[in-house]
Amino acid sequence: MISDRIKQLRLLMEQNSVDFCFYTDRDAHQSEYTPDFAKKRSYISGFTGSNGTVLILKDQAYLWTDGRYYIQAEKELQNSGITMMKMESGVKSFYEILKEEFKSSASVRVSTDNSAMSVATMERLKSELKNMDVEFIDEDLLDRVWNERPVKNNSNPFILNIEYTGERALDKIQRIRKVFDTKADYLLVTTLDDIVWITNTRGSDIKFSPVNLSWMLIGKDQTTIYMDGAEKLENYFLSENIQLKNYLDIYNDLSSLENCKVAVDKNSTNSKLFFALSKAEIVEFTNPVQKLKACKNPTEITNIKDALKMEAASLVRFQKWLYQNVGKVTETEAAEKLKEFRAMFDKYIYDSFEAISAYKSNAAMMHYSSYKNPDTIIGDDSFYLIDTGGNYLSGTTDLTRTFQLGEVSDIMKRHYTLVLKSHINLARSKYLKGTSAHAMDILARQPIWNEHLDYKCGTGHGVGMFINVHEGPQNFSQHFSYVELEEGMVTTIEPGIYLEGLYGIRIENMYHSTYSGESEFGKFMKFDVMNFNPIDTKPIVKEMLSTEEIEWLNNYHGKCYEVLSPLLNEDEKEFLREVTKGI
């Protein structure tokens, strides 16, 4: 099927003198999670991971993805005619392949979805192919191939009350204006999570993400939101000094702007919007909303902790149920059962991402999906990993636990203990204010590196307040990015070990950065754990842990019982007491 689609696309390329096509699964807002109608890379390649770029040439095709998806991509690309390319040193990049393919060409014609291609991507492509004329044709040829394309969702936005947000939209807009008003007349906001945060609204236009398809143009006196299906919120928007217009009106409004400066983030603005601003002076500007949104206020922190209590209670019930049903249920049935436990809480809306419910070797695939693979019975001779999260009115959650089911080998226990040591090493750390998350990534990797092991992904990411489960700008990663870890930032810590064909291990908690103390050397910060759900102690090799690490774990488990027991019945409390015993 995939090879047939590529064949159809190549025929259109030949008929329209197009040299290559390329696609991601990004939408017009450069979202990580996107509506089904925007998933062009998935459609033409069959690869369903959240990150990747497919390149279709006249007689070759390639797909680039990162270490989280190598195993998955190799499986999904079988018999497609597409070569999987690892995004790592020593492997030719997207741009290197293009330069090699067209080294003797004076010009190239490109077809892609211009509304899903960021300005930064467009400019880099032209820069990399600087010795030739690069022409982006107006039409995306894939639109002619994708005959049964899903339709755009109908918005159903609602207001998130100030008891959850802690700040009015009007006040947030005033704070944003102070960031750009000396540099530009307008700020164009294109990212969906930023817009719902600014407006204190939520929706369901994208699966797992409580966002609305919309644009926002913030001027010095007037703010406009462009969103379909939001008429019932018009009076609310007016009360926050926000004008409501239709989603597609943004293009005409941008085209009419002249003799003014518009601040644009080229990484999150698509090229179609960029071309619409032909009469205005464009000011390149880093999106200021991301950082403002990332630093949660006290109300948001309190609410996220509330969501995590419900999430942790759900996971305790799940863990108890799982132990009673080993050998009887599949990975997918387990993931669906966890949803039932979440639904016991009124504030639960829906999951924050598709659960990674993975037994044995399936857990070695960091983003494994039991829903897209042959379902596996959860047995009693290996690790079972559950990476899961929920969207509650009070917050978004993302937690991972690895459980030992039955007897496992000594080396498996050793690897599990290494992951726990890595988690604790970063979680216990204090840092000088101004330190970047990138610089702290090594604290998690060191215990694993000491055994000549590694994991091909980041160590943690920001999490939204009932918005997106992945939120920038901070993240723990080996890739350089200077973003200061500031007070109120909520970030996961989730080191792991993944051995292809054998098993995967990950332990993930959510933490927020907070004040630790001051000295003559400056202000120091620390991580406050936000969730309290048990970490499986059965696989722990106690001799590998230091006194401080054992103390951290025992204190954590004591807090687990204190926080969660009021939410559980007597049988569940007894189970919790057993799994939180000190080691």
Side-chain angles (χ1 to χ4, degrees):
M1 182 181 293
I2 297 299
S3 58
D4 290 338
R5 293 172 185 174
I6 294 173
K7 185 177 180 180
Q8 292 178 56
L9 182 60
R10 282 184 171 140
L11 179 60
L12 290 171
M13 290 168 63
E14 182 180 1
Q15 292 171 352
N16 291 271
S17 302
V18 166
D19 297 292
F20 67 90
C21 301
F22 72 96
Y23 301 98
T24 66
D25 268 5
R26 298 296 190 190
D27 61 5
H29 305 271
Q30 298 300 297
S31 308
E32 177 186 10
Y33 294 106
T34 54
D36 289 343
F37 71 82
K39 295 180 178 179
K40 292 191 170 181
R41 185 214 63 223
S42 294
Y43 176 79
I44 195 63
S45 72
F47 171 63
T48 58
S50 66
N51 182 37
T53 301
V54 65
L55 171 65
I56 309 296
L57 299 166
K58 291 179 180 179
D59 53 8
Q60 296 288 332
Y62 304 90
L63 182 135
W64 286 262
T65 191
D66 62 60
R68 296 172 296 169
Y69 297 108
Y70 291 165
I71 302 172
Q72 177 183 337
E74 286 178 352
K75 287 187 175 183
E76 292 184 338
L77 295 177
Q78 285 182 1
N79 303 316
S80 68
I82 301 172
T83 302
M84 198 270 280
M85 307 290 281
K86 296 180 178 181
M87 294 171 65
E88 58 184 44
S89 177
V91 178
K92 290 179 181 178
S93 71
F94 173 82
Y95 299 103
E96 287 171 332
I97 288 288
L98 286 177
K99 284 188 279 191
E100 185 178 274
E101 179 75 16
F102 300 107
K103 58 186 176 184
S104 58
S105 301
S107 63
V108 289
R109 280 168 55 86
V110 186
S111 174
T112 190
D113 186 347
N114 293 329
S115 69
M117 175 178 58
S118 71
V119 178
T121 298
M122 176 187 69
E123 291 184 343
R124 182 176 178 187
L125 187 58
K126 288 184 174 182
S127 175
E128 293 281 353
L129 303 181
K130 58 187 175 183
N131 295 326
M132 61 192 79
D133 178 46
V134 180
E135 179 189 354
F136 293 94
I137 69 171
D138 292 335
E139 182 187 12
D140 178 8
L141 297 179
L142 187 56
D143 289 339
R144 291 200 227 167
V145 177
W146 197 354
N147 296 320
E148 298 179 0
R149 186 174 178 181
V151 297
K152 177 178 174 289
N153 290 346
N154 291 320
S155 288
N156 187 26
F158 62 92
I159 301 164
L160 190 64
N161 294 333
I162 199 163
E163 66 184 275
Y164 297 113
T165 66
E167 185 180 15
R168 285 185 61 182
L170 186 67
D171 296 325
K172 292 179 181 179
I173 291 168
Q174 285 299 100
R175 285 205 286 144
I176 294 166
R177 283 192 176 115
K178 289 178 181 178
V179 180
F180 77 86
D181 66 358
T182 61
K183 303 176 182 69
D185 301 294
Y186 296 92
L187 172 69
L188 177 61
V189 185
T190 63
T191 36
L192 303 181
D193 56 328
D194 292 330
I195 294 171
V196 295
W197 176 81
I198 294 169
T199 59
N200 290 337
T201 61
R202 299 295 189 270
S204 56
D205 283 358
I206 297 179
K207 190 176 183 180
F208 303 122
S209 297
V211 297
N212 307 297
L213 295 178
S214 55
W215 315 98
M216 204 163 192
L217 188 64
I218 302 176
K220 293 186 176 181
D221 301 308
Q222 178 64 54
T223 299
T224 305
I225 187 168
Y226 300 83
M227 178 167 40
D228 293 336
E231 292 78 11
K232 65 182 181 181
L233 299 188
E234 187 165 12
N235 288 336
Y236 164 74
F237 285 136
L238 289 173
S239 72
E240 302 297 319
N241 197 27
I242 300 171
Q243 180 184 16
L244 174 65
K245 287 192 173 185
N246 293 328
Y247 180 78
L248 292 177
D249 288 347
I250 183 72
Y251 294 100
N252 286 333
D253 283 6
L254 293 183
S255 297
S256 67
L257 292 178
E258 53 185 328
N259 301 319
C260 63
K261 296 180 179 180
V262 181
V264 169
D265 188 325
K266 291 185 176 181
N267 290 304
S268 57
T269 302
N270 71 59
S271 56
K272 190 173 180 180
L273 288 172
F274 186 76
F275 293 139
L277 284 165
S278 58
K279 300 174 187 174
E281 180 182 345
I282 293 175
V283 178
E284 191 170 352
F285 206 73
T286 299
N287 177 8
V289 185
Q290 263 200 345
K291 191 172 181 181
L292 294 173
K293 173 167 54 59
C295 297
K296 310 295 188 289
N297 62 44
T299 299
E300 291 174 311
I301 294 292
T302 298
N303 278 303
I304 294 171
K305 288 180 178 179
D306 174 66
L308 283 162
K309 284 182 186 178
M310 294 181 279
E311 182 71 6
S314 301
L315 277 165
V316 167
R317 291 182 173 121
F318 172 79
Q319 185 178 356
K320 181 175 182 291
W321 171 87
L322 176 69
Y323 287 174
Q324 295 169 341
N325 288 276
V326 170
K328 303 175 186 176
V329 298
T330 68
E331 297 161 327
T332 301
E333 288 170 340
E336 291 299 313
K337 187 66 179 180
L338 181 51
K339 291 182 185 179
E340 293 180 25
F341 290 128
R342 285 195 182 107
M344 294 171 67
F345 295 99
D346 292 340
K347 290 181 183 177
Y348 169 67
I349 308 300
Y350 46 72
D351 285 8
S352 56
F353 57 98
E354 183 184 282
I356 301 170
S357 175
Y359 178 64
K360 215 166 187 173
S361 61
N362 292 336
M365 292 181 275
M366 282 176 259
H367 283 239
Y368 169 76
S369 171
S370 63
Y371 295 87
K372 299 168 185 170
N373 289 280
D375 213 357
T376 300
I377 294 285
I378 299 173
D380 63 353
D381 63 347
S382 190
F383 288 134
Y384 167 74
L385 182 152
I386 179 76
D387 184 352
T388 187
N391 274 311
Y392 299 81
L393 280 174
S394 51
T396 297
T397 68
D398 182 8
L399 305 172
T400 306
R401 287 295 181 265
T402 303
F403 300 122
Q404 176 186 324
L405 303 180
E407 290 301 315
V408 300
S409 68
D410 289 343
I411 190 64
M412 291 171 73
K413 292 180 179 181
R414 182 173 182 83
H415 286 166
Y416 181 91
T417 310
L418 285 172
V419 173
L420 177 60
K421 287 174 69 69
S422 294
H423 185 108
I424 295 172
N425 204 42
L426 180 52
R428 289 181 63 241
S429 65
K430 295 181 180 179
Y431 59 94
L432 185 65
K433 180 172 170 53
T435 302
S436 72
H438 159 263
M440 301 186 71
D441 181 76
I442 192 173
L443 294 177
R445 292 184 193 270
Q446 194 63 67
I448 291 175
W449 280 359
N450 287 342
E451 300 292 322
H452 296 172
L453 296 164
D454 192 24
Y455 48 96
K456 300 298 183 183
C457 61
T459 301
H461 56 83
V463 180
M465 206 307 290
F466 185 29
I467 310 182
N468 286 350
V469 71
H470 292 157
E471 177 179 279
Q474 85 280 12
N475 65 84
F476 296 115
S477 172
Q478 291 178 288
H479 300 293
F480 178 79
S481 173
Y482 182 78
V483 177
E484 179 183 343
L485 278 169
E486 297 192 40
E487 190 152 5
M489 285 184 169
V490 174
T491 316
T492 65
I493 294 177
E494 48 181 306
I497 291 176
Y498 311 92
L499 299 179
E500 183 176 354
L502 296 175
Y503 51 85
I505 304 163
R506 179 161 64 250
I507 299 171
E508 176 185 19
N509 280 349
M510 288 171 56
Y511 297 82
H512 73 95
S513 297
T514 187
Y515 175 76
S516 175
E518 291 185 53
S519 72
E520 67 271 27
F521 297 103
K523 182 176 180 180
F524 286 80
M525 308 287 288
K526 64 179 180 177
F527 299 112
D528 258 10
V529 65
M530 302 182 75
N531 62 283
F532 294 97
N533 52 296
I535 295 170
D536 192 0
T537 57
K538 293 193 299 296
I540 292 175
V541 181
K542 186 175 178 180
E543 295 73 25
M544 291 176 61
L545 298 181
S546 68
T547 301
E548 293 78 13
E549 289 167 340
I550 292 172
E551 181 182 9
W552 182 94
L553 182 63
N554 287 339
N555 287 340
Y556 175 78
H557 276 153
K559 190 71 173 176
C560 285
Y561 188 83
E562 176 189 332
V563 170
L564 297 183
S565 56
L567 301 177
L568 304 173
N569 64 33
E570 289 305 316
D571 284 347
E572 292 161 351
K573 286 181 187 178
E574 184 56 36
F575 176 79
L576 179 62
R577 186 179 291 111
E578 180 65 24
V579 296
T580 56
K581 287 191 306 187
I583 65 169

